[in-house]
mmCIF file of all heavy atoms in Angstrom:
data_model
loop_
_atom_site.group_PDB
_atom_site.id
_atom_site.type_symbol
_atom_site.label_atom_id
_atom_site.label_comp_id
_atom_site.label_asym_id
_atom_site.label_seq_id
_atom_site.Cartn_x
_atom_site.Cartn_y
_atom_site.Cartn_z
ATOM 1 N N MET N 30 -2.464 177.042 65.903
ATOM 2 C CA MET N 30 -2.857 175.659 65.575
ATOM 3 C C MET N 30 -2.957 174.826 66.852
ATOM 4 O O MET N 30 -1.994 174.728 67.589
ATOM 5 C CB MET N 30 -1.806 175.028 64.659
ATOM 6 C CG MET N 30 -2.329 174.629 63.313
ATOM 7 S SD MET N 30 -1.074 173.658 62.475
ATOM 8 C CE MET N 30 -2.112 172.398 61.792
ATOM 9 N N THR N 31 -4.103 174.231 67.103
ATOM 10 C CA THR N 31 -4.339 173.615 68.408
ATOM 11 C C THR N 31 -3.510 172.358 68.639
ATOM 12 O O THR N 31 -3.160 172.062 69.771
ATOM 13 C CB THR N 31 -5.828 173.267 68.569
ATOM 14 O OG1 THR N 31 -6.258 172.580 67.406
ATOM 15 C CG2 THR N 31 -6.654 174.506 68.782
ATOM 16 N N ASP N 32 -3.192 171.612 67.575
ATOM 17 C CA ASP N 32 -2.448 170.377 67.795
ATOM 18 C C ASP N 32 -0.944 170.540 67.540
ATOM 19 O O ASP N 32 -0.242 169.555 67.347
ATOM 20 C CB ASP N 32 -3.020 169.246 66.928
ATOM 21 C CG ASP N 32 -2.895 169.562 65.452
ATOM 22 O OD1 ASP N 32 -2.634 170.745 65.117
ATOM 23 O OD2 ASP N 32 -3.039 168.639 64.633
ATOM 24 N N CYS N 33 -0.482 171.760 67.581
ATOM 25 C CA CYS N 33 0.953 172.017 67.354
ATOM 26 C C CYS N 33 1.653 172.236 68.696
ATOM 27 O O CYS N 33 1.276 173.113 69.476
ATOM 28 C CB CYS N 33 1.126 173.233 66.446
ATOM 29 S SG CYS N 33 2.842 173.794 66.336
ATOM 30 N N LEU N 34 2.696 171.436 68.952
ATOM 31 C CA LEU N 34 3.437 171.509 70.223
ATOM 32 C C LEU N 34 3.972 172.908 70.492
ATOM 33 O O LEU N 34 3.849 173.435 71.607
ATOM 34 C CB LEU N 34 4.591 170.489 70.177
ATOM 35 C CG LEU N 34 5.547 170.480 71.357
ATOM 36 C CD1 LEU N 34 4.845 170.027 72.625
ATOM 37 C CD2 LEU N 34 6.755 169.596 71.057
ATOM 38 N N PHE N 35 4.592 173.520 69.488
ATOM 39 C CA PHE N 35 5.223 174.819 69.722
ATOM 40 C C PHE N 35 4.176 175.922 69.840
ATOM 41 O O PHE N 35 4.406 176.910 70.549
ATOM 42 C CB PHE N 35 6.256 175.120 68.633
ATOM 43 C CG PHE N 35 7.518 174.281 68.736
ATOM 44 C CD1 PHE N 35 8.540 174.424 67.812
ATOM 45 C CD2 PHE N 35 7.690 173.362 69.771
ATOM 46 C CE1 PHE N 35 9.708 173.665 67.899
ATOM 47 C CE2 PHE N 35 8.850 172.587 69.870
ATOM 48 C CZ PHE N 35 9.862 172.741 68.927
ATOM 49 N N CYS N 36 3.023 175.790 69.185
ATOM 50 C CA CYS N 36 1.928 176.744 69.404
ATOM 51 C C CYS N 36 1.445 176.655 70.851
ATOM 52 O O CYS N 36 1.128 177.687 71.460
ATOM 53 C CB CYS N 36 0.761 176.477 68.459
ATOM 54 S SG CYS N 36 0.978 177.169 66.808
ATOM 55 N N LYS N 37 1.405 175.447 71.392
ATOM 56 C CA LYS N 37 0.978 175.285 72.790
ATOM 57 C C LYS N 37 1.966 175.976 73.724
ATOM 58 O O LYS N 37 1.567 176.567 74.734
ATOM 59 C CB LYS N 37 0.860 173.805 73.146
ATOM 60 C CG LYS N 37 -0.391 173.175 72.537
ATOM 61 C CD LYS N 37 -0.481 171.703 72.867
ATOM 62 C CE LYS N 37 -1.683 171.091 72.159
ATOM 63 N NZ LYS N 37 -1.548 169.650 71.927
ATOM 64 N N ALA N 39 3.832 178.590 72.847
ATOM 65 C CA ALA N 39 3.641 180.035 72.612
ATOM 66 C C ALA N 39 2.414 180.544 73.360
ATOM 67 O O ALA N 39 2.391 181.676 73.848
ATOM 68 C CB ALA N 39 3.511 180.305 71.112
ATOM 69 N N ILE N 71 11.431 180.528 68.183
ATOM 70 C CA ILE N 71 10.242 180.335 67.340
ATOM 71 C C ILE N 71 9.416 181.623 67.251
ATOM 72 O O ILE N 71 9.386 182.414 68.194
ATOM 73 C CB ILE N 71 9.331 179.197 67.875
ATOM 74 C CG1 ILE N 71 8.671 179.578 69.207
ATOM 75 C CG2 ILE N 71 10.107 177.899 68.016
ATOM 76 C CD1 ILE N 71 7.525 178.650 69.632
ATOM 77 N N PRO N 72 8.716 181.788 66.111
ATOM 78 C CA PRO N 72 7.683 182.833 66.073
ATOM 79 C C PRO N 72 6.477 182.329 66.860
ATOM 80 O O PRO N 72 6.191 181.126 66.863
ATOM 81 C CB PRO N 72 7.349 182.941 64.579
ATOM 82 C CG PRO N 72 7.693 181.608 64.004
ATOM 83 C CD PRO N 72 8.789 181.027 64.855
ATOM 84 N N LYS N 73 5.776 183.235 67.556
ATOM 85 C CA LYS N 73 4.596 182.792 68.305
ATOM 86 C C LYS N 73 3.449 182.411 67.375
ATOM 87 O O LYS N 73 2.582 181.628 67.755
ATOM 88 C CB LYS N 73 4.161 183.879 69.289
ATOM 89 C CG LYS N 73 5.089 183.973 70.499
ATOM 90 C CD LYS N 73 4.540 184.921 71.545
ATOM 91 C CE LYS N 73 5.344 184.831 72.831
ATOM 92 N NZ LYS N 73 4.871 185.782 73.844
ATOM 93 N N THR N 74 3.450 182.959 66.190
ATOM 94 C CA THR N 74 2.424 182.581 65.211
ATOM 95 C C THR N 74 2.843 181.289 64.508
ATOM 96 O O THR N 74 4.033 180.989 64.388
ATOM 97 C CB THR N 74 2.237 183.676 64.154
ATOM 98 O OG1 THR N 74 3.508 183.986 63.595
ATOM 99 C CG2 THR N 74 1.640 184.925 64.761
ATOM 100 N N HIS N 75 1.850 180.525 64.055
ATOM 101 C CA HIS N 75 2.150 179.232 63.438
ATOM 102 C C HIS N 75 2.623 179.398 61.994
ATOM 103 O O HIS N 75 1.849 179.789 61.117
ATOM 104 C CB HIS N 75 0.924 178.317 63.472
ATOM 105 C CG HIS N 75 1.234 176.944 62.949
ATOM 106 N ND1 HIS N 75 1.940 176.020 63.698
ATOM 107 C CD2 HIS N 75 0.963 176.358 61.763
ATOM 108 C CE1 HIS N 75 2.073 174.905 62.980
ATOM 109 N NE2 HIS N 75 1.487 175.094 61.802
ATOM 110 N N VAL N 76 3.900 179.103 61.786
ATOM 111 C CA VAL N 76 4.499 179.063 60.444
ATOM 112 C C VAL N 76 5.095 177.667 60.331
ATOM 113 O O VAL N 76 5.995 177.325 61.104
ATOM 114 C CB VAL N 76 5.605 180.129 60.289
ATOM 115 C CG1 VAL N 76 6.242 180.049 58.916
ATOM 116 C CG2 VAL N 76 5.073 181.524 60.578
ATOM 117 N N PRO N 77 4.584 176.802 59.437
ATOM 118 C CA PRO N 77 5.030 175.396 59.446
ATOM 119 C C PRO N 77 6.513 175.206 59.123
ATOM 120 O O PRO N 77 7.212 174.482 59.842
ATOM 121 C CB PRO N 77 4.144 174.733 58.387
ATOM 122 C CG PRO N 77 2.950 175.616 58.274
ATOM 123 C CD PRO N 77 3.453 177.016 58.519
ATOM 124 N N VAL N 123 9.520 168.871 63.902
ATOM 125 C CA VAL N 123 8.412 169.674 64.443
ATOM 126 C C VAL N 123 8.058 170.729 63.400
ATOM 127 O O VAL N 123 8.905 171.555 63.029
ATOM 128 C CB VAL N 123 8.805 170.335 65.782
ATOM 129 C CG1 VAL N 123 7.657 171.228 66.276
ATOM 130 C CG2 VAL N 123 9.143 169.283 66.830
ATOM 131 N N PHE N 124 6.805 170.693 62.937
ATOM 132 C CA PHE N 124 6.413 171.545 61.816
ATOM 133 C C PHE N 124 5.808 172.857 62.288
ATOM 134 O O PHE N 124 4.673 173.207 61.962
ATOM 135 C CB PHE N 124 5.523 170.753 60.845
ATOM 136 C CG PHE N 124 6.364 169.800 60.042
ATOM 137 C CD1 PHE N 124 6.709 168.558 60.569
ATOM 138 C CD2 PHE N 124 6.901 170.171 58.831
ATOM 139 C CE1 PHE N 124 7.538 167.693 59.878
ATOM 140 C CE2 PHE N 124 7.743 169.322 58.123
ATOM 141 C CZ PHE N 124 8.052 168.069 58.649
ATOM 142 N N HIS N 125 6.622 173.538 63.088
ATOM 143 C CA HIS N 125 6.417 174.940 63.475
ATOM 144 C C HIS N 125 7.824 175.523 63.402
ATOM 145 O O HIS N 125 8.725 175.069 64.135
ATOM 146 C CB HIS N 125 5.798 175.027 64.870
ATOM 147 C CG HIS N 125 5.590 176.420 65.382
ATOM 148 N ND1 HIS N 125 4.374 176.857 65.885
ATOM 149 C CD2 HIS N 125 6.444 177.478 65.488
ATOM 150 C CE1 HIS N 125 4.475 178.133 66.256
ATOM 151 N NE2 HIS N 125 5.732 178.523 66.037
ATOM 152 N N LEU N 126 8.001 176.476 62.522
ATOM 153 C CA LEU N 126 9.331 177.030 62.240
ATOM 154 C C LEU N 126 10.126 177.310 63.514
ATOM 155 O O LEU N 126 9.599 177.890 64.461
ATOM 156 C CB LEU N 126 9.151 178.340 61.454
ATOM 157 C CG LEU N 126 10.422 179.100 61.092
ATOM 158 C CD1 LEU N 126 11.292 178.303 60.131
ATOM 159 C CD2 LEU N 126 10.065 180.457 60.497
HETATM 160 ZN ZN1 ZN D 230 2.526 175.916 65.643
#
Side-chain angles (χ1 to χ4, degrees):
M30 242 190 138
T31 49
D32 62 345
C33 170
L34 175 66
F35 288 179
C36 279
K37 285 179 184 155
I71 68 167
K73 286 188 171 177
T74 53
H75 185 76
V76 178
V123 177
F124 285 83
H125 178 129
L126 178 65

